[in-house]
C-alpha cells in the first residue's frame, strides 16, 4: 500500500495517458473513415452505396457519380436510403464536415456500416474520380 501512496503520480499519469489514447475512438462520429480509393474498393467489392448529404443545390452543382442525394436534415425520414441496413454506406459532403454527423445519425437508425469519405467531394475530385452535374 505504501508503494501506491508514494507513487500516486505514476498511476495518475498512466490513467490520464490511457484516457488520451482512447479519446479519439470514443468521440468518433459513428463511422469509420476511408479515402477515395478505399471507397471505390468498397463500392466494387461490397456493393457499398454512396450517400451525398449535401443540400440539393450543392448536389446539383456537382456530385460523385452514382451518389444518392439525401440531405443531412432529411436523413431520418428518407426513403432514399437502402432497405438492407447491412450494406456499407459511404457518406460524403463537400468537405467531409457534415458526413461525420450523418454517420452518427445513420448508426442510430440501425445501419451497420456507415463510412465517412475523408475529405468529402474535394478528395473524390482530387483522386480524379467521376463527378456528375444534375441536368437542369
Amino acid at each position: 500500500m505504501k508503494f501506491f501512496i508514494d507513487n500516486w503520480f505514476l498511476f495518475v499519469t498512466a490513467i490520464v495517458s490511457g484516457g488520451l489514447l482512447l479519446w479519439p475512438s470514443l468521440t468518433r462520429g459513428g463511422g469509420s473513415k476511408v479515402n477515395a480509393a478505399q471507397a471505390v474498393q468498397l463500392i466494387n467489392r461490397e456493393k457499398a452505396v454512396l450517400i451525398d448529404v449535401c443540400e440539393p443545390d450543392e448536389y446539383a452543382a456537382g456530385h460523385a457519380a452514382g451518389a444518392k442525394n439525401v440531405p443531412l436534415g432529411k436523413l431520418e425520414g428518407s426513403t432514399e436510403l437502402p432497405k438492407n441496413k447491412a450494406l456499407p454506406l459511404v457518406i460524403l459532403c463537400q468537405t467531409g464536415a457534415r458526413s461525420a454527423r450523418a454517420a452518427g445519425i445513420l448508426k442510430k437508425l440501425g445501419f451497420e456500416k456507415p463510412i465517412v469519405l475523408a475529405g468529402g467531394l474535394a478528395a473524390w475530385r482530387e483522386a480524379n474520380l467521376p463527378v456528375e452535374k444534375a441536368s437542369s
Side-chain angles (χ1 to χ4, degrees):
M1 189 64 166
K2 182 175 177 355
F3 177 78
F4 292 112
I5 293 170
D6 290 343
N7 297 297
W8 65 270
F9 57 92
L10 293 175
F11 293 104
V12 170
T13 303
I15 290 170
V16 169
S17 66
L20 290 173
L21 287 172
L22 289 174
W23 184 256
S25 62
L26 295 175
T27 58
R28 192 171 11 183
S32 56
K33 289 188 176 186
V34 294
N35 62 31
Q38 292 166 323
V40 171
Q41 286 181 345
L42 282 169
I43 293 165
N44 292 336
R45 293 181 182 166
E46 298 183 37
K47 301 196 184 331
V49 179
L50 270 175
I51 304 291
D52 190 322
V53 295
C54 292
E55 293 303 315
D57 56 330
E58 294 173 304
Y59 180 81
H63 57 273
K68 291 183 179 183
N69 183 226
V70 185
L72 181 62
K74 298 180 182 176
L75 268 178
E76 294 189 41
S78 177
T79 58
E80 292 291 316
L81 296 172
K83 302 290 184 233
N84 182 356
K85 294 190 176 192
L87 277 177
L89 301 178
V90 178
I91 306 145
L92 70 144
C93 61
Q94 294 295 321
T95 61
R98 288 176 276 189
S99 300
R101 285 191 314 218
I105 292 169
L106 290 167
K107 195 78 166 169
K108 288 178 188 171
L109 291 175
F111 288 91
E112 296 173 17
K113 300 175 190 171
I115 302 162
V116 174
L117 176 63
L121 186 61
W124 186 267
R125 282 185 169 136
E126 190 174 305
N128 291 321
L129 292 169
V131 176
E132 300 173 332
K133 290 186 180 185
S135 58
S136 19

